[in-house]
Amino acid sequence: MSTKLTGQELEKRRKQVESTATFGLILICVALVAPFTRPADIEYLNVFRWIYGSGALIYLIARLVDISDPMDSPRLKRLRRMEFWAGISFGLATAFWFIGQHKYHNDPYIGALAVLWNTIMFTLIGALIQIVASWLIYSQTKKEIKNRGDKQ
């Protein structure tokens, strides 16, 4: 049985969730940029796929936590759910990295870009979803706060 948080407890949980999600995004960014320091070495990718995967998992777990106020509109709740789908996109990118690494591990002429092209694509999709959701959540929250103030 879950109890809904309100007020300061909810704000504290939101800050924790956002910090955790940000940490996951930082791991994703580091893991995605680092292989291009040595683009010809595919073995160099082995470590970073695990870092990327752990960042995607951390982000996804953070987005599974309910941070909705009981007073939030259904639209705002749906927008918060959009951030979860960004996490799913990062998870798919992780899967494509593992598949690409396994597929090309014996080919000496394949570089990092050939292994990572699907991963990069799904990472960009996840980033776009996250950016759009953040903007929409911010504007919808402002509208709801304004509307609550007008009603009082």
Side-chain angles (χ1 to χ4, degrees):
M1 184 188 261
S2 165
T3 61
K4 292 288 183 178
L5 297 176
T6 57
Q8 290 181 343
E9 294 118 9
L10 182 63
E11 285 304 314
K12 183 178 177 184
R13 179 179 280 180
R14 280 185 182 161
K15 286 180 183 177
Q16 290 171 342
V17 166
E18 290 302 322
S19 296
T20 305
T22 301
F23 178 69
L25 286 174
I26 290 170
L27 286 177
I28 288 170
C29 290
V30 166
L32 198 59
V33 170
F36 292 105
T37 60
R38 292 173 34 189
D41 188 9
I42 284 192
E43 293 304 315
Y44 190 59
L45 297 175
N46 283 333
V47 175
F48 292 105
R49 69 181 176 173
W50 290 101
I51 295 171
Y52 186 96
S54 62
L57 184 64
I58 290 169
Y59 180 86
L60 187 60
I61 289 171
R63 293 304 177 203
L64 283 172
V65 176
D66 184 23
I67 57 171
S68 296
D69 190 346
M71 300 290 291
D72 285 346
S73 68
R75 177 180 168 86
L76 189 57
K77 290 177 182 178
R78 282 192 302 269
L79 289 172
R80 290 195 195 283
R81 208 172 309 133
M82 257 178 78
E83 292 178 319
F84 166 77
W85 288 105
I88 294 294
S89 178
F90 295 139
L92 286 171
T94 302
F96 281 118
W97 192 335
F98 276 84
I99 290 168
Q101 185 87 17
H102 179 72
K103 186 176 177 182
Y104 297 119
H105 77 282
N106 287 331
D107 195 345
Y109 301 108
I110 296 294
L113 191 58
V115 174
L116 294 177
W117 71 277
N118 280 327
T119 301
I120 293 168
M121 181 180 63
F122 276 92
T123 301
L124 291 174
I125 290 168
L128 180 66
I129 293 170
Q130 174 62 38
I131 290 167
V132 169
S134 295
W135 286 342
L136 291 174
I137 287 170
Y138 176 74
S139 66
Q140 185 66 28
T141 304
K142 276 179 66 173
K143 285 179 189 176
E144 288 186 15
I145 289 172
K146 183 180 176 188
N147 289 341
R148 287 181 197 157
D150 290 344
K151 289 180 181 178
Q152 291 177 356

